[in-house]
Amino acid sequence: ESDPADASVWRLRGWLLNRIGRYDEALASCARSLELDPDACASWCDKASILLNLSRPDDALSACETAIGLDGANPLAWLTRGATLVDLDLFEEALAAFAKAVELGPQNVKARVHLCAAFIELTRYDEAIREAQRAVELAPNEPEAWTMMGLSLSYLGHRDESLYSFNKALSLGEDSSFVHYKVVELLFAQDRWREATISLDRALAQFAHSGNPKAGDTKALIHGLLPGLSNPKVLELTIRLLLLVYRKHRMLGALGQGLIECIPEMSAPDAHGEDDAALWLESWQACAAQYTEFRLPLRLLDSAVRYRKTRDLRIFMNLPQEERALLEPLVGVHIEAIA
């Protein structure tokens, strides 16, 4: 009101509106800022971020290109371009943009965190952990840096160090469902059932009862049980613990979906032996057959295990068409071949 021609105030107004989710208003304020100062690189970066939140990544990328054209040495412009390219699933190009942001701002922790994430997406884990370590060195109290450290370490199989990093992130204020559930996965994978069960119960209590319920990556959680095939009693105990906690929070459907998504582990001839596949099926049948949410997952798993043993397509003829379609990509069988 005191100076309606101040472009920086309009930019700040747009930034704040973007932060609180009022994206259309944010875009209007940003547009006003750019009318008053069309050469402001930071305002074009803000516009790109708002457009991303409005699910307009192509327009966001165009705004990024304008920002870089105005100031190609601005790390924020390259960082925003990288985030936009990630939204477009262009990870190699995103990696190059994040690398440029790090080159221009070596002390920029956010840029290194994003570069680490891009390396992970491209399964370049050794390079990812290098960036995570640098981010932690630059900002030891930044939870996001510790989160990326934990994720990098988990992909490299360093469970103890990964768990420490995720817990460090939580102690510094990280409170995302992703990190809470990663801690659960790691605890179960280490057979620390008591801690794992308590952590899972807390995570589900916090994240499974909101308007956007989150039950964790149940596929990864169940996949982490596969080493238990060497100890059937431990495997069955762990399955029962999972069922009890997910049932308490009325999320058995999510757990059943995770079991379905793990079917390729038991249907591929080179994944596990036939005895392991049979044991996996028997263990889940013994523990979960009583729950209606597991009727479909167990039926599909049973068909997949029997097909693996016999390679007889007639096994699938007893399934309804929609279930065959669901099972097809999991076992690599074409519906046309069955018909």
Side-chain angles (χ1 to χ4, degrees):
E1 292 176 356
S2 63
D3 187 0
D6 187 339
S8 63
V9 176
W10 283 103
R11 181 201 165 204
L12 178 59
R13 185 176 190 272
W15 181 85
L16 289 166
L17 288 165
N18 190 36
R19 288 294 298 272
I20 61 176
R22 291 161 61 179
Y23 304 128
D24 289 322
E25 295 173 79
L27 189 61
S29 289
C30 189
R32 179 57 180 153
S33 176
L34 287 168
E35 286 176 13
L36 296 166
D37 184 6
D39 295 330
C41 175
S43 296
W44 284 101
C45 292
D46 285 354
K47 181 177 181 178
S49 295
I50 297 165
L51 289 167
L52 274 182
N53 286 329
L54 286 167
S55 300
R56 293 167 58 184
D58 291 316
D59 293 334
L61 186 59
S62 177
C64 290
E65 300 301 342
T66 301
I68 290 170
L70 290 168
D71 185 1
N74 188 325
L76 177 61
W78 288 99
L79 187 60
T80 309
R81 185 178 194 272
T84 304
L85 291 165
V86 166
D87 205 71
L88 291 165
D89 293 331
L90 299 171
F91 296 108
E92 289 284 0
E93 294 179 55
L95 178 69
F98 293 137
K100 183 66 174 180
V102 168
E103 176 190 330
L104 294 168
Q107 307 302 309
N108 189 322
V109 175
K110 192 173 185 66
R112 289 193 180 274
V113 165
H114 279 75
L115 181 56
C116 175
F119 277 131
I120 289 174
E121 192 67 41
L122 295 168
T123 68
R124 294 164 61 176
Y125 304 126
D126 289 327
E127 293 163 286
I129 200 168
R130 182 193 66 204
E131 293 302 327
Q133 288 170 335
R134 185 65 180 130
V136 166
E137 290 168 3
L138 289 168
N141 293 320
E142 172 54 56
E144 198 171 16
W146 284 102
T147 296
M148 297 314 300
M149 175 72 85
L151 190 57
S152 302
L153 288 164
S154 70
Y155 279 113
L156 288 170
H158 302 308
R159 290 176 178 169
D160 289 337
E161 296 93 331
S162 176
L163 183 59
Y164 173 84
S165 297
F166 283 127
N167 279 324
K168 182 71 173 178
L170 292 174
S171 73
L172 292 169
E174 174 63 45
D175 199 34
S176 66
S177 61
F178 173 78
V179 174
H180 280 281
Y181 284 120
K182 287 302 292 185
V183 168
V184 171
E185 289 173 30
L186 288 164
L187 288 171
F188 270 113
Q190 293 177 329
D191 294 335
R192 294 163 64 176
W193 311 302
R194 181 177 176 80
E195 296 169 80
T197 304
I198 292 171
S199 295
L200 177 59
D201 186 40
R202 288 174 178 168
L204 287 168
Q206 183 174 352
F207 300 110
H209 304 285
S210 63
N212 181 26
K214 297 178 180 177
D217 186 348
T218 54
K219 176 184 177 182
L221 186 58
I222 291 174
H223 185 274
L225 305 185
L226 290 170
L229 287 165
S230 61
N231 191 331
K233 290 184 179 179
V234 170
L235 176 61
E236 189 167 321
L237 168 65
T238 312
I239 292 173
R240 290 190 185 281
L241 287 173
L242 285 176
L243 290 166
L244 285 171
V245 181
Y246 274 91
R247 182 189 178 201
K248 173 184 175 181
H249 294 279
R250 301 181 180 179
M251 296 299 287
L252 279 177
L255 193 63
Q257 180 61 34
L259 183 60
I260 291 174
E261 291 173 4
C262 283
I263 283 177
E265 291 289 338
M266 290 302 149
S267 60
D270 56 347
H272 292 271
E274 286 186 11
D275 290 342
D276 283 341
L279 174 59
W280 181 253
L281 172 62
E282 291 165 7
S283 299
W284 280 98
Q285 286 175 329
C287 300
Q290 61 182 302
Y291 302 117
T292 56
E293 294 89 345
F294 274 82
R295 288 176 183 169
L296 174 61
L298 290 176
R299 190 159 58 245
L300 296 179
L301 178 59
D302 176 68
S303 297
V305 171
R306 287 191 292 123
Y307 173 71
R308 173 199 169 132
K309 183 177 182 179
T310 65
R311 311 307 291 181
D312 185 353
L313 292 173
R314 290 175 297 179
I315 287 171
F316 300 110
M317 294 305 294
N318 293 325
L319 296 175
Q321 184 64 36
E322 59 272 17
E323 292 184 17
R324 290 191 225 164
L326 184 61
L327 197 54
E328 178 189 21
L330 299 173
V331 297
V333 174
H334 295 294
I335 296 293
E336 294 82 1
I338 304 172

